[in-house]
Amino acid sequence: MTTIGFIGLGIMGAPMAANLIDAGYDVIGFNLTQDKIDALVKHGGRGASSVAEATKGADIVITMLPDSPDVTDVVTGADGVLANSHSGQLLIDMSTIQPDVSRQVAAVGAEAGVRVLDAPVSGGESGAIKGNLSIMVGGEAADFAAAGPVLNTVGGTVVHVGPHGSGQTVKAANQLIVAGNLQLLAEAIAFLEAFGVDLEASVQVLRGGLAGSTVLDRKAANMVNRDFSPGFRLALHHKDMGIVTAAAREAGVVIPLGSAVAQLVAALVARGDGNLDHSGLFKLTSELSHELSPADPR
Ligand code: NAD
């Protein structure tokens, strides 16, 4: 039986680890908060009390952590993954982090004899629960092949996109597209509301045309119902917009609309809305409009 050390049991990591357990893997999980470890054990996994315990004896280690410094700490820290790894172990980092940090992690991993893949995901909490995430993978082709059974357990679309860091580059593009879509959806719903059009009927017909999108399918209801429970936290999308704007600048690529949306996300985070779902872009958009709308004096 393949043993998987799973580090980071948050909104995404917890259901992914649960799906691996359901598929017959021996999963030993670690998280900063004990409640998430307890939930994994209840689901049939094993609990670890440290990164070291989750790593030792695991054939594969998966990390699903918030940000680049978290991955660097957990992997290269004093009692981290690499300090407790064995030669030939496979480390699959599924967090969304900076492409250059993924390349560094792969380089130090190689020095320790650990094979590293960057494998960020798209599809949100529902994709994690259903096990049909889209997974963009950077690294060696042979390591991608070795990770195939595990990645196909949590993913529906699993694609090797190039060398180390490439998965993160594709994920950065993904986040740019999603943020832009969300903002325009927010503006469209605020616009429809201002005219008192039936929102359910509007969304239904928009879904069938060129304006249709996964963002529209999954997030319109959040905006219409003002339900911004996460989901994908704005604080994490803020991190991702930082990644894509910095990488684009470095490459000399101009992303005017992406930069504008990045500022709106930053404003929401700065005013304390970072723990709302990213559909919370609607909150700011509608507030900005309604302040000026004679039809809705407040
Ligand atoms: P989250 O904040 O819900 O979960 C992160 C988990 O990591 C938390 O449970 C936290 O306790 C744990 N953690 C943090 N530092 C740790 C450490 N040092 N050791 C052990 N555990 C630690 O975040 P999430 O929404 O699950 O996202 C995880 C990653 O996946 C992020 O990089 C995010 O950008 C990406 N992502 C999220 C979604 C989504 O819809 N939520 C979708 C695609 C990608």
Side-chain angles (χ1 to χ4, degrees):
M1 187 191 275
T2 303
T3 296
I4 299 174
F6 205 113
I7 303 167
L9 302 167
I11 288 176
M12 297 297 283
M16 291 164 71
N19 283 332
L20 291 166
I21 293 166
D22 294 345
Y25 288 100
D26 171 34
V27 178
I28 176 162
F30 176 64
N31 192 72
L32 274 190
T33 51
Q34 185 63 35
D35 58 325
K36 304 285 188 178
I37 301 174
D38 294 343
L40 182 87
V41 170
K42 208 171 162 200
H43 196 88
R46 291 190 289 138
S49 59
S50 63
V51 170
E53 199 184 333
T55 304
K56 282 180 186 155
D59 304 292
I60 297 172
V61 176
I62 295 178
T63 43
M64 194 50 166
L65 299 163
D67 202 350
S68 303
D70 306 307
V71 173
T72 304
D73 282 358
V74 164
V75 174
T76 64
D79 202 18
V81 172
L82 295 181
N84 293 282
S85 62
H86 56 83
S87 184
Q89 204 169 28
L90 190 58
L91 168 61
I92 310 174
D93 177 36
M94 306 192 74
S95 328
T96 303
I97 64 170
Q98 294 166 221
D100 57 313
V101 174
S102 282
R103 285 191 288 273
Q104 284 160 21
V105 167
V108 287
E111 284 168 24
V114 173
R115 302 175 292 156
V116 181
L117 293 170
D118 49 296
V121 308
S122 181
E125 185 183 18
S126 68
I129 292 168
K130 289 182 193 144
N132 64 3
L133 291 165
S134 195
I135 310 181
M136 31 225 111
V137 189
E140 299 291 333
D143 300 338
F144 173 70
V150 166
L151 294 179
N152 283 298
T153 299
V154 294
T157 306
V158 182
V159 181
H160 183 217
V161 293
H164 297 297
S166 304
Q168 298 296 353
T169 302
V170 177
K171 174 65 183 178
N174 183 86
Q175 295 306 82
L176 178 63
I177 295 168
V178 172
N181 264 271
L182 278 168
Q183 180 56 28
L184 285 176
L185 177 61
E187 292 175 17
I189 290 181
F191 171 80
L192 290 165
E193 279 188 350
F195 281 92
V197 182
D198 183 316
L199 289 178
E200 207 177 310
S202 306
V203 168
Q204 186 192 345
V205 72
L206 288 172
R207 287 177 69 179
L210 194 55
S213 70
T214 308
V215 165
L216 181 63
D217 291 348
R218 299 246 191 103
K219 298 294 179 178
N222 295 63
M223 295 184 186
V224 170
N225 299 325
R226 272 71 171 163
D227 173 9
F228 306 122
S229 51
F232 186 65
R233 291 185 295 119
L234 276 161
L236 289 174
H237 216 140
H238 180 50
K239 170 219 20 156
D240 295 346
M241 296 313 285
I243 291 172
V244 70
T245 49
R249 183 186 161 95
E250 200 181 308
V253 175
V254 179
I255 51 167
L257 294 184
S259 298
V261 181
Q263 291 299 313
L264 294 169
V265 173
L268 279 153
V269 173
R271 72 179 197 172
D273 282 336
N275 281 329
L276 298 184
D277 186 67
H278 53 174
S279 54
L281 273 164
F282 176 76
K283 198 173 168 226
L284 180 59
T285 303
S286 82
E287 283 170 14
L288 290 170
S289 305
H290 291 166
E291 294 299 329
L292 300 172
S293 167
D296 183 17
R298 285 191 297 158

